[in-house]
Amino acid sequence: MIFKDITWLDSASIEAIEQQLPETVSRRPLTRGLRRSALMVSAHRVKHLNKLDVLAADMAVINLEDGVAPQEKPRARALAALFTAHAREAKTELIVRVNPLGEGGEEDIRLINRAMPDAIRIPKVRTAEEVEQACRLVDPAIRIHLSVETNEALKKLADLRVEERVDTVYLGILDLCADLGLPQSVITPGNPTVSYLLSRFLVDALTAGFHPVSFVHQEYKDLEIFEKWCLLERSMGFSSKGCISPGQVELANRVFAPRPEEIARAITIVRCFEEAAKKGNTGFVHEQYGFIDEPVYRGALAVLAAAGQE
């Protein structure tokens, strides 16, 4: 737990909470390994925030947008900054999802900058100009994540990577379907329309150099369907899934974990290719894994990178 005593926060004013922010926050080195699960954590739930340093999720998205009533947002902003600033030993990657620009996002960013999270997530972006505005607002040492929830964002995803630190995108499937005029009934495993949306988001994100995170499944008690989504998305090439409960985190971590046989295969391919390349041979047949050349070698490197074994 981050704080031994959180009872004082029940009656503390927003000003008193902000006064507890450190003058400076030393950034812990961000060593990205597996990014299988991205758990949404409500910014106004003090007990949940206090567990940021013991979460099983690879990423924690502290949410100031959806689920926080308008009258609670200023206090939630102060709480998000306070707990993020004091969670420097957390192994989980800490991301704060602010409100849209023009709807309180600017005020959110100004305070959250002081807490130095690993990233700030900007929702409902539509244009590269909006992302450029976010880049001007967010501290240069903080990475920027984007929510893809609009037709415009999906259509011009590559244009949104305006800087190298803008490096991760999340699919907001419910908002996207509403923006496209699609019924939510298409959001079922195997539906051809949602399969197309997932495929397009995945390929366009990877082509642009983003890390793509698949959507949050709202029915958090239905772990059977959630597992079906995870298995389907893993087969498509996703490696990260949005989550809203510990049960979903556990499943996502298991499904998206690199399989031992995949890691063993990648290690062997990398070793054999690099040994052969020293002798000028960049294409050969391996007795177990067949023909190996540079594209196969690069694929093996990607597997090891995703497993944190670069």
Side-chain angles (χ1 to χ4, degrees), residues 23 50 105 145 147 170 188 196 293:
E23 286 296 324
N50 204 35
H145 295 182
S147 296
Y170 303 74
T188 56
Y196 169 75
D293 59 2

Side-chain angles (χ1 to χ4, degrees), residues 4 45 163:
K4 291 182 180 180
R45 304 289 187 188
E163 289 186 17

Side-chain angles (χ1 to χ4, degrees), residues 40-44 62-69 73 97-100 103 121 123-124 147 149 172 174-175 218:
M40 303 297 291
V41 179
S42 295
H44 62 308
I62 303 157
N63 188 16
L64 284 167
E65 190 199 9
D66 297 337
V68 180
K73 288 184 184 289
R97 180 190 186 187
V98 298
N99 287 285
E103 300 178 29
R121 176 174 163 184
K124 295 182 175 59
S147 296
E149 305 166 275
L174 294 178
D175 285 310
Q218 299 288 340

Side-chain angles (χ1 to χ4, degrees), residues 55-282:
L55 293 176
D58 296 324
M59 297 177 278
V61 182
I62 303 157
N63 188 16
L64 284 167
E65 190 199 9
D66 297 337
V68 180
Q71 66 273 18
E72 294 184 14
K73 288 184 184 289
R75 184 178 183 83
R77 178 192 305 142
L79 290 171
L82 176 70
F83 281 92
T84 301
H86 285 89
R88 305 324 301 161
E89 300 305 318
K91 296 179 181 179
T92 300
E93 188 177 336
L94 300 179
I95 302 115
V96 179
R97 180 190 186 187
V98 298
N99 287 285
L101 299 180
E103 300 178 29
E106 293 86 349
E107 293 87 345
D108 292 341
I109 291 170
R110 277 193 286 272
L111 185 62
I112 299 303
N113 275 342
R114 293 174 55 188
M116 293 300 289
D118 295 308
I120 289 177
R121 176 174 163 184
I122 312 296
K124 295 182 175 59
V125 294
R126 294 180 180 272
T127 66
E129 289 74 21
E130 291 175 343
V131 183
E132 289 169 350
Q133 180 187 359
C135 289
R136 292 191 293 271
L137 293 169
V138 174
D139 187 288
I142 300 172
R143 294 178 182 268
I144 297 173
H145 295 182
L146 307 175
S147 296
V148 176
E149 305 166 275
T150 65
N151 172 37
E152 293 93 331
L154 182 67
K155 185 164 56 178
K156 297 185 177 181
L157 192 54
D159 295 344
L160 303 182
R161 197 155 197 266
V162 299
E163 289 186 17
E164 185 177 351
R165 65 177 171 139
V166 185
D167 63 2
T168 301
V169 286
Y170 303 74
L171 179 60
I173 195 74
L174 294 178
D175 285 310
L176 180 59
C177 282
D179 202 49
L180 292 170
L182 290 170
Q184 292 183 9
S185 59
V186 304
I187 309 173
T188 56
N191 180 283
T193 300
V194 80
S195 293
Y196 169 75
L197 290 176
L198 285 167
S199 298
R200 176 165 179 174
F201 169 75
L202 174 68
V203 173
D204 287 359
L206 293 173
T207 301
F210 287 115
H211 176 84
V213 181
S214 192
F215 68 94
V216 168
H217 178 63
Q218 299 288 340
E219 301 297 330
Y220 67 93
K221 292 184 179 179
D222 193 343
L223 295 179
E224 182 179 351
I225 293 295
F226 181 79
E227 185 172 15
K228 287 182 179 179
W229 276 119
C230 290
L231 291 169
L232 171 64
E233 291 159 7
R234 192 189 199 284
S235 73
M236 296 175 72
F238 281 97
S239 60
S240 298
K241 179 71 171 169
C243 302
I244 55 174
S245 72
Q248 288 187 346
V249 167
E250 182 181 353
L251 269 172
N253 284 351
R254 175 169 58 80
V255 172
F256 290 106
R259 293 167 182 154
E261 62 271 20
E262 293 175 335
I263 296 175
R265 176 181 181 275
I267 290 173
T268 299
I269 288 173
V270 169
R271 175 176 54 79
C272 292
F273 182 88
E274 291 179 352
E275 289 176 356
K278 292 177 182 178
K279 303 174 184 177
N281 184 7
T282 56

